[in-house]
Amino acid sequence: RLSIVSTFYDNLYIKQIRPLENEFRHFCHHTELIELGALCEQAIGRTYEVLLEGNQRAAEEIIKKDQVVDAKEREIEDLCFRIILQQQPVARDLRQVSAALKMITDMERIGDQAADIAEIISLANLKASNKTMHIGEMAKATIKMVMDSVDAFVKRDLDAAQAVVAYDDVVDQLFDTVKNELIELIASGHADAEYAVDLLMIAKYFERIGDHAANIAEWVEFSITGIHKKLQPEGFQRTEEQREEK
């Protein structure tokens, strides 16, 4: 009888518990999250390349590839829900899973906005001039923010996450610079209003991508400290234990 019971639990472990443990171990390596971050980085970088080239066909490819980002987001979401329902993680593990759920929502929106930029390029047959190069700097800055925020999550690096949040000010300043450049182009007669509005919309999408990257970094901070600044009541102070938590 003991042998039968032992065999039953052995089979249960092999068929149900071990796969769950493997899934959680896989999640802890953040492989899927890193892949989604890489897809976002590629999409942002490619949109600016396409803007410089004025390549409509390449822009249409970016729009189609947004489906890959969406599919990866759903895949990670399913994994997180399985872990929560079947593994019932607590404390730091639960924060990691719940933070990942929030992060992938922002990543999916980054993919959408890269596709929106590509759609503007495609519909308007748009090509950037060398007088609007600060848009390129915005693209590079947002790529850095996405890359650094995911890296901070993987390494549990609080300082790196906070640096990403602070770096969003750089993207905001670049947006103001682009806006002023476009105003000057229109005033000098070097660009018509429609062209300027299209480029301003693209710059605004890059600015929004920076906001989403900052959101990701804030959830990284939450996964490490258990504190999300925007969700705390006014005057909230962290305890010494929360400040020192690793």
Side-chain angles (χ1 to χ4, degrees), residues 93-110:
D93 291 340
L94 179 58
R95 288 203 309 273
Q96 288 240 324
V97 177
S98 56
L101 278 169
K102 294 291 188 178
M103 290 166 62
I104 62 173
T105 300
D106 280 298
M107 288 183 181
E108 190 271 337
R109 290 297 298 132
I110 288 172

Side-chain angles (χ1 to χ4, degrees), residues 40-83:
C40 291
E41 292 162 27
Q42 291 165 13
I44 299 166
R46 189 64 184 128
T47 53
Y48 183 64
E49 290 174 5
V50 169
L51 181 60
L52 286 178
E53 298 164 1
N55 189 333
Q56 285 183 287
R57 183 174 296 179
E60 290 166 4
E61 287 299 315
I62 293 172
I63 296 169
K64 291 177 183 177
K65 286 185 177 179
D66 183 43
Q67 296 175 4
V68 179
V69 174
D70 293 344
K72 179 61 70 175
E73 187 246 358
R74 288 192 296 270
E75 183 182 333
I76 298 172
E77 184 180 59
D78 288 345
L79 173 60
C80 289
F81 282 135
R82 284 200 306 274
I83 290 170

Side-chain angles (χ1 to χ4, degrees), residues 92-154:
R92 190 180 88 171
D93 291 340
L94 179 58
R95 288 203 309 273
Q96 288 240 324
V97 177
S98 56
L101 278 169
K102 294 291 188 178
M103 290 166 62
I104 62 173
T105 300
D106 280 298
M107 288 183 181
E108 190 271 337
R109 290 297 298 132
I110 288 172
D112 287 346
Q113 283 158 353
D116 289 337
I117 293 171
E119 187 173 2
I120 293 172
I121 296 168
S122 177
L123 293 175
N125 193 20
L126 204 62
K127 185 175 181 178
S129 71
N130 57 7
K131 295 181 180 180
T132 55
M133 296 306 291
H134 283 100
I135 291 181
E137 291 183 31
M138 288 187 76
K140 291 174 184 176
T142 54
I143 290 171
K144 171 181 169 58
M145 289 180 70
V146 173
M147 181 175 61
D148 288 353
S149 61
V150 174
D151 193 50
F153 183 68
V154 172

